[in-house]
Amino acid sequence: MTKLRTRHLLGIKDLCLEDIELIFSTADNFKEVINRPIKKVPSLRDITIANLFFENSTRTRLSFELAEKRLSADVINFSASGSSVKKGETLIDTVNNILAMKVDMVVMRHANPGAALFLSKHVNAKIVNAGDGAHEHPTQALLDAYSIREKLGKVAGKKVAIIGDILHSRVALSNIFCLQKLGAEVMVCGPRTLMPKYISGLQVKVEHDLQKALAWCDVANMLRIQMERQDIKYFPSLREYSMQYGLDKQRLDALDKEIVIMHPGPINRGVEITSEVADSAQSIILDQVENGVAIRMAVLYLLAGRSEN
């Protein structure tokens, strides 16, 4: 297979195992490129990509922009905070105005779940979901699984614990879908108040004791507490959350094995993870950042390639 079976990347649910493996093998090639002295290739020359971020973002937006520029695409950056959206313009009108400028692809982050799917049905451009509310964040899941594969040699058969704010995390949902398709065992761990009701239907293990989750897993993916999505108090205080679910060196030293530590960022140091752990040899957090550029290059390249076939 040399092309994706989907026209857009809206969520991991839409990808088959062969799609994911194709993205990974393409990312392997692009990782070579971004480690060369000259880091650019002309693969997407004459392709125009609009980055539409209706929610605040630093890492994801910069990662996509860098991936696009490494591929020699023309890039338009759109931020809702300084746009006509503030004047009441609808999502469709905003995007159609941008597409009138002959844009080929849209990378979009939006606060509403399903926004990318809605857009894909109404505009004639390839859509990449860069995060839609608490629903999915497919490229983050792909780069996380790719990083596990790089570190441990494979994903199949590995035990991955996703720890923290499962209820509000789009990273958790996309990771569950992606890791299961690649043959990993998945556990979610966190306070009962931060577990979604649908979790029992996702065929994952559920644990509320952090030390038991750490003893079980090969990889611990520590999630940020999504304070901006919480409309009520789900736990008494950040200090209490940190005492129960924060990962520190003492908890790691209590294990009889070494585990891989991940975090999608941005890190609340001292809350879900201490600086000592985040900066330790067991952490692959910075590898995730580097791999994010390669994965996003692969996704953009493969989606754009469909129009050439």
Side-chain angles (χ1 to χ4, degrees):
M1 195 172 81
T2 57
K3 65 182 183 181
L4 297 179
R5 298 184 187 184
T6 178
R7 174 177 161 78
H8 311 283
L9 180 58
L10 305 177
I12 297 295
K13 260 188 168 178
D14 302 321
L15 299 178
C16 62
L17 178 60
E18 290 78 12
D19 287 328
I20 296 171
E21 294 291 358
L22 176 60
I23 291 169
F24 284 1
S25 62
T26 308
D28 287 339
N29 294 329
F30 284 131
K31 191 152 185 197
E32 251 181 71
V33 169
I34 62 179
N35 283 296
R36 292 178 194 164
I38 298 173
K39 299 173 174 63
K40 251 187 164 181
V41 289
S43 306
L44 295 191
R45 187 177 289 159
D46 300 326
I47 295 286
T48 303
I49 303 175
N51 296 319
L52 274 60
F53 280 73
F54 294 87
E55 268 191 323
N56 291 335
S57 170
T58 301
R59 296 166 340 283
T60 302
R61 182 175 56 79
L62 290 177
S63 183
F64 267 110
E65 188 176 348
L66 188 57
E68 291 151 7
K69 289 180 175 177
R70 291 278 186 261
L71 292 166
S72 303
D74 295 317
V75 180
I76 299 171
N77 286 312
F78 171 94
S79 171
S81 60
S83 74
S84 294
V85 171
K86 292 291 182 185
K87 302 174 184 176
E89 187 172 71
T90 66
L91 174 60
I92 293 271
D93 284 338
T94 299
V95 175
N96 276 331
N97 275 289
I98 290 168
L99 294 181
M101 302 173 198
K102 306 303 178 191
V103 168
D104 304 290
M105 195 177 295
V106 173
V107 175
M108 186 175 78
R109 169 167 288 191
H110 201 282
N112 293 336
L117 174 62
F118 172 78
L119 197 64
S120 70
K121 293 178 176 178
H122 290 87
V123 302
N124 186 28
K126 309 287 178 68
I127 309 296
V128 180
N129 181 7
D132 59 333
H135 180 227
E136 277 221 52
H137 192 352
T139 57
Q140 182 69 47
L142 290 165
L143 75 90
D144 287 347
Y146 182 83
S147 299
I148 293 170
R149 168 183 174 265
E150 182 180 69
K151 180 70 175 179
L152 300 179
K154 62 177 183 175
V155 178
K158 300 303 178 188
K159 296 177 177 179
V160 182
I162 303 170
I163 298 163
D165 186 356
I166 310 299
L167 179 63
H168 300 99
S169 176
R170 53 191 166 214
V171 172
L173 193 59
S174 284
N175 262 271
I176 289 167
F177 293 149
C178 189
L179 291 166
Q180 287 178 337
K181 286 185 179 187
L182 289 166
E185 290 184 65
V186 184
M187 173 185 284
V188 293
C189 175
R192 293 178 192 278
T193 52
L194 290 176
M195 287 291 167
K197 291 178 182 175
Y198 60 75
I199 200 70
S200 58
L202 294 181
Q203 298 177 315
V204 298
K205 297 177 187 294
V206 179
E207 179 59 67
H208 302 292
D209 184 315
L210 176 60
Q211 206 60 37
K212 287 181 182 177
L214 296 174
W216 174 85
C217 72
D218 302 306
V219 180
N221 196 347
M222 307 301 297
L223 301 180
R224 180 176 67 87
I225 291 294
Q226 309 261 325
M227 299 301 292
E228 70 278 11
R229 296 188 198 284
Q230 297 186 13
D231 48 358
I232 61 171
K233 289 198 82 171
Y234 289 87
F235 47 83
S237 68
L238 285 177
R239 183 173 179 275
E240 181 163 323
Y241 177 87
S242 180
M243 288 171 65
Q244 295 292 320
Y245 294 100
L247 183 56
D248 56 22
K249 193 167 188 302
Q250 187 178 354
R251 283 198 164 105
L252 285 183
D253 290 345
L255 303 175
D256 59 1
K257 60 180 180 178
E258 276 207 354
I259 61 173
V260 177
I261 308 301
M262 304 177 70
H263 195 300
I267 301 171
N268 291 319
R269 288 176 182 256
V271 179
E272 65 267 6
I273 190 170
T274 63
S275 290
E276 194 174 13
V277 173
D279 301 330
S280 70
Q282 288 173 251
S283 165
I284 59 168
I285 294 170
L286 292 180
D287 297 320
Q288 289 173 264
V289 176
E290 180 182 343
N291 290 337
V293 177
I295 283 289
R296 287 168 177 131
M297 288 175 75
V299 166
L300 295 167
Y301 171 77
L302 290 167
L303 287 177
R306 280 185 60 84
S307 61
E308 298 163 13
N309 291 308

